[in-house]
Amino acid sequence: MDTAEFIRILDREGRLLADAAERAGTDAKVPTCPEWQVRDLVRHTGAVHRWATGYVAEGHPSRRPFDDPPTLDGVELVAWFREGHANLVRTLTSAAPDLECWHFLPAPSPLAFWARRQAHETSVHRFDAEAARGGTRSDLDPRFAADGVDELLRGFHARPKSRMRSEEPRVLRVRATDADDAVWTVRLTQEPPAAERGETGDAECEICGPAAQLYLSLWNRVPFPSVTGDHALAELWRSNSAV
């Protein structure tokens, strides 16, 4: 997937998030994040959008803290979110391909990183907002969902801060059934997980299913679609994989 595709998805997902939040109301509970109400979800995602925009617009070379979200609520809070989301989309769209700024996962370029990361950030939280609203939830393209699995396994969990560790070496397989080249082998040790594309060697447990459900389950939003082998290894993921 290219940067322009990620920006288009970010645009769509942010609009859907705002629509769902508006319909749910900011007092509504978020069942996929039980400690949150919709206002917390909107404030968090809106603050992330503004934080990301700052790197792209101003070329910050090092990590900066988040600004505190506003105390706005209700329709004013959703309007604040829409404004920040639209500004992020415009900023990414107009950014120079050779932009230099801080980013925290490997990527072809800083611009590619921020477009991809914000598309996935917004997609997962759009799902949260729609869960709070109730009713039919929006579909995810299998290619995009498989990319999100890849970002999580080979990006986030390759970092030293990942808590996915095992005293004894274990091997987990992750397989999307409706996307090409969408199999990962994840080796767990006392070090950060080592994930690679492909089916290499035997695995003690396999989590598989449609890419969209796999993506959301690995982000702990929905149950695993299918687990074969040692279910304790899948539960280890459920317990320790929060980012």
Side-chain angles (χ1 to χ4, degrees):
M1 298 182 66
D2 63 23
T3 296
E5 287 180 279
F6 285 122
I7 295 172
R8 284 194 294 272
I9 293 170
L10 166 63
D11 187 24
R12 170 184 181 268
E13 295 292 309
R15 291 172 188 271
L16 289 171
L17 191 162
D19 290 346
E22 201 161 57
R23 290 182 60 188
T26 53
D27 287 337
K29 295 288 188 181
V30 181
T32 48
C33 300
E35 72 280 11
W36 274 359
Q37 292 174 285
V38 168
R39 65 174 56 87
D40 303 304
L41 171 65
V42 173
R43 287 171 180 164
H44 166 78
T45 314
V48 170
H49 285 172
R50 284 165 167 76
W51 180 70
T53 299
Y55 288 108
V56 177
E58 301 166 30
H60 295 295
S62 59
R63 184 182 177 92
R64 303 172 70 212
F66 285 86
D67 291 332
D68 291 333
T71 56
L72 298 171
D73 204 352
V75 295
E76 293 177 334
L77 177 61
V78 176
W80 170 84
F81 172 87
R82 290 186 192 275
E83 178 186 35
H85 166 254
N87 191 35
L88 173 60
V89 171
R90 285 193 301 270
T91 300
L92 289 167
T93 301
S94 62
D98 60 353
L99 163 77
E100 293 293 336
C101 67
W102 180 82
H103 57 293
F104 60 89
L105 295 177
S109 70
L111 179 60
F113 165 81
W114 284 111
R116 181 195 200 198
R117 175 82 289 275
Q118 290 309 297
H120 287 300
E121 175 83 13
T122 307
S123 177
V124 171
H125 289 315
R126 182 271 299 163
F127 182 84
D128 294 331
E130 291 185 345
R133 180 205 63 198
T136 303
R137 295 172 190 173
S138 304
D139 293 333
L140 276 176
D141 177 83
R143 282 195 316 132
F144 174 71
D147 180 82
V149 172
D150 191 72
E151 185 203 42
L152 181 62
L153 296 180
R154 298 202 300 149
F156 277 101
H157 283 291
R159 300 186 301 169
K161 63 175 64 177
S162 173
R163 295 187 300 112
M164 277 302 303
R165 310 293 175 100
S166 174
E167 290 295 322
E168 299 296 327
R170 309 295 303 276
V171 181
L172 173 68
R173 186 99 68 223
V174 176
R175 185 190 307 274
T177 55
D178 58 349
D180 294 334
D181 187 29
V183 181
W184 297 262
T185 301
V186 186
R187 301 184 188 282
L188 302 176
T189 64
Q190 296 181 43
E191 299 299 319
E196 58 183 314
R197 298 295 284 261
E199 190 170 345
T200 55
D202 295 330
E204 298 157 77
C205 174
E206 180 169 305
I207 301 170
C208 72
Q213 191 174 353
L214 196 63
Y215 173 61
L216 292 167
S217 69
L218 292 170
W219 277 107
N220 294 324
R221 267 29 187 213
V222 300
F224 294 125
S226 173
V227 177
T228 55
D230 187 352
H231 284 237
L233 192 48
E235 288 309 308
L236 179 68
W237 179 277
R238 182 72 75 196
S239 299
N240 294 345
S241 65
V243 172

